[in-house]
């Protein structure tokens, strides 16, 4: 394995960084970015007993990455009922989503801060039989300490942006040392494969398999609630603004006011990416001309309600089923966009802004198939919504998106085959 002076320095500093880590945790707690009751997990202190038997550890950065694992974990659990599955993430929102969605024999813990004593405590307690990284969040101490225990490590659903590659390029020796530790990597696209090769991952370990999001099960919903809401809406035209971020709601509201001039009965369902922004967005809506109902307050839209603020967590599956038109947020501001396969799998026509770097290959395929539509301003968003209120146009676009979504579902099958093969290999003896 290649030697990296930069990595050696990082590991030496990480071994002595507990005080710094505690100050960072305290600041994050004050900012609402940590769960006070589970803060010890960030120190590597387990929040529950380790189950007996094989333990397979998945690490994901945040909500989107962890959701892409659910179908994979469910199928692994079906085939290996003796195994348990530990999923680590670093955000409070992802922990809430995982608590509601993980299948039997799977559980969530917060990933420890990248400080050697915390990570050793974490690994000594959990003793995973395999470590599976998703996307490309490389924490050096976490990777090195896991490898030091001869725990097989693989990278799945890997995606690397140009900016991330460029940052690692200035620490190429460290990057090479880290990526060489992965026994195999399944990557989403040729661009990521090229980046990882340049950083030092051997080409014979790289496989371009597409994204696990294509093989993921459709987002769930409460069928009784779907029936109730559909009956209550009573055929009203509806469009959805999903997973919006700061700076986008103003544009969505302006577009909706414009669309209402042509379709006075039109209802906007507005779902912010972070529900805790509900009060802020409600205040924004209140300054405009539209009437509003708010889901977190237990309200339902009346016949004259023009905006339904769905500031709740875990209900996108409901809204994608009810809305034939969906604007995918995170794309009108330089966020990078969110997963378009979620609306595609549920029959909703897709609109998106120009900032889709997180899913650029997927949106390119959707565009080529005329399965999504780019909007760049409130006026163009309003125009697209009004156009797609024609049921035939919305259905044609949604069907095209569904076909693109379905075409790459073998990524999950290939990941499963690889993981079972690695899991069944004889265990290495730690040196």
């Amino acid at each position: 394995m290649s030697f990296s002076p930069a990595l050696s320095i990082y590991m030496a500093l990480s071994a002595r960084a507990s005080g710094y880590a505690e100050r960072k945790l305290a600041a994050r707690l004050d900012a609402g970015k940590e769960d006070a009751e589970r803060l010890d997990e960030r120190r590597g202190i387990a929040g529950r007993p380790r189950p007996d038997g094989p333990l397979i550890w998945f690490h994901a950065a945040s909500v989107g990455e962890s959701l892409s694992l659910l179908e994979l974990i469910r199928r692994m659990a079906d085939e290996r009922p003796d195994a348990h599955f530990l999923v680590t993430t670093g955000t409070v929102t992802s922990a809430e989503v995982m608590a509601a969605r993980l299948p039997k024999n799977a559980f969530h813990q917060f990933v420890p801060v990248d400080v050697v004593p915390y990570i050793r405590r974490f690994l000594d307690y959990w003793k995973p039989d395999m470590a599976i990284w998703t996307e490309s969040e490389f924490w050096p101490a976490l990777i090195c300490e896991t490898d030091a225990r001869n725990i097989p490590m693989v990278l799945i659903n890997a995606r690397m942006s140009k900016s991330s590659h460029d940052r690692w390029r200035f620490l190429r020796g460290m990057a090479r040392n880290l990526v060489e530790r992965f026994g195999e990597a399944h990557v989403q696209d040729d661009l990521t494969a090229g980046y990882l090769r340049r950083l030092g991952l051997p080409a014979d370990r790289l496989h371009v398999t597409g994204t696990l999001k294509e093989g993921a099960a459709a987002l769930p919903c409460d069928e009784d609630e779907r029936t109730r809401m559909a009956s209550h809406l009573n055929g009203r035209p509806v469009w959805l603004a999903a997973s919006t971020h700061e700076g986008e709601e103003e544009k969505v509201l302006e577009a909706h006011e414009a669309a209402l001039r042509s379709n006075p009965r039109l209802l906007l369902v507005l779902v912010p990416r972070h529900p805790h922004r509900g009060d802020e967005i409600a205040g924004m809506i209140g300054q405009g001309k539209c009437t509003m109902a708010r889901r977190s307050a237990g309200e339902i839209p009346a016949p004259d309600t023009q905006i339904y603020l769905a500031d709740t967590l875990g209900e996108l599956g409901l809204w994608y089923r009810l809305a034939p038109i969906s604007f995918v947020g995170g794309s009108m501001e330089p966020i990078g966009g969110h997963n378009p396969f979620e609306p595609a799998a549920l029959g909703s026509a897709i609109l998106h802004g120009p900032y889709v770097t997180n899913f650029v290959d997927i949106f390119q395929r959707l565009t080529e198939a005329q399965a999504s539509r780019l909007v760049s301003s409130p006026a163009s968003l309003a125009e697209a919504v009004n156009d797609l209120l024609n049921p035939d146009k919305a259905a044609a676009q949604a069907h095209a998106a569904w076909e693109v979504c379905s075409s790459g579902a073998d990524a999950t099958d290939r990941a499963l085959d690889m993981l079972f093969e690695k899991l069944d290999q004889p265990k290495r003896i730690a040196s």
Side-chain angles (χ1 to χ4, degrees), residues 110-254:
F110 284 107
V111 68
V113 180
D114 206 46
V115 171
V116 169
Y118 296 174
I119 290 165
R120 287 178 176 170
R121 186 185 292 149
F122 171 87
L123 292 170
D124 289 345
Y125 182 86
W126 292 112
K127 296 181 175 64
D129 293 271
M130 177 183 287
I132 302 160
W133 263 256
T134 62
E135 304 281 333
S136 56
E137 186 179 70
F138 298 148
W139 289 106
L142 192 63
I143 291 174
C144 291
E145 289 295 325
T146 302
D147 183 59
R149 287 161 171 74
N150 287 334
I151 298 167
M153 294 195 303
V154 296
L155 183 61
I156 64 171
N157 208 38
R159 180 187 57 81
M160 180 171 281
S161 66
K162 183 179 185 300
S163 60
S164 180
H165 167 263
D166 290 347
R167 286 193 298 271
W168 278 111
R169 185 182 59 183
F170 292 104
L171 293 167
R172 186 165 296 184
M174 179 188 287
R176 176 180 293 275
N177 184 291
L178 293 175
V179 298
E180 284 177 341
R181 297 171 189 264
F182 290 100
E184 195 159 347
H186 283 199
V187 305
Q188 295 186 23
D189 49 53
D190 292 326
L191 187 64
T192 295
Y195 287 157
L196 288 173
R197 276 197 301 269
R198 288 179 211 165
L199 293 179
L201 186 63
D204 62 352
R205 302 184 199 172
L206 273 168
H207 308 277
V208 179
T209 58
T211 171
L212 287 180
K213 294 179 175 70
E214 297 183 43
L219 292 177
C221 85
D222 182 325
E223 272 301 313
D224 290 339
E225 180 63 7
R226 187 197 66 78
T227 301
R228 184 179 80 94
M229 284 298 298
S231 175
H232 188 77
L233 293 173
N234 194 28
R236 280 188 70 178
V238 178
W239 73 289
L240 169 68
S243 297
T244 58
H245 290 255
E246 186 175 357
E248 291 187 312
E249 287 89 10
E250 296 93 336
K251 298 171 184 176
V252 166
L253 295 175
E254 184 179 340

Side-chain angles (χ1 to χ4, degrees), residues 24-51:
K24 291 292 289 185
L25 285 174
R28 286 178 57 84
L29 185 62
D30 288 343
K33 296 180 179 180
E34 298 288 346
D35 183 338
E37 295 183 359
R38 297 178 60 183
L39 199 62
D40 271 351
E41 292 174 28
R42 299 287 267 153
R43 303 180 177 104
I45 300 171
R48 57 179 294 158
R50 186 201 188 282

